[in-house]
Amino acid sequence: MPDSVGKKDQIYVCRCEEVTLEEIDEWIDKGYDTVEELKRVLRVGMGPCQGRGCQDILMREIAKKTGKHISEVEPATVRPPAKPIKIGLLAEGGEE
């Protein structure tokens, strides 16, 4: 059996951004041990689900790897994605 793990054998924590448990563990070992830091370096939790599918798993992994209690791990700040709109739509909404 080969030493490297095949792509199909990896555990995906963030399916939207295809971030694996192995990648998360690597970055926690490098000192990135908050949800916000991992979000910035890996984009974990920044896909269409905005972390609803992976944030709890990420927080548990941080707690396990750092020895913190889960209540000590801060969740990410929720920032809904912005959607561009045409300036004309804004201009039409005003009173004359």
Side-chain angles (χ1 to χ4, degrees), residues 18-62:
E18 297 184 355
V19 180
T20 65
L21 182 60
E22 182 180 7
E23 290 173 298
I24 289 168
D25 286 345
E26 262 179 47
W27 284 93
I28 292 172
D29 291 341
K30 290 179 183 180
Y32 294 83
D33 59 359
T34 68
V35 174
E36 289 292 337
E37 289 173 329
L38 291 168
K39 193 173 166 181
R40 285 180 178 81
V41 296
L42 293 174
R43 292 193 47 82
V44 63
M46 293 179 74
C49 84
Q50 294 292 290
R52 286 184 295 275
C54 62
Q55 183 166 264
D56 289 344
I57 298 167
L58 181 60
M59 290 172 65
R60 284 194 304 265
E61 191 63 19
I62 291 169

Side-chain angles (χ1 to χ4, degrees), residues 7-8 10-15 17-21 23 57:
K7 191 165 184 121
K8 68 179 182 175
Q10 294 182 9
I11 298 169
Y12 286 91
V13 172
C14 180
R15 292 184 305 245
E17 295 295 324
E18 297 184 355
V19 180
T20 65
L21 182 60
E23 290 173 298
I57 298 167

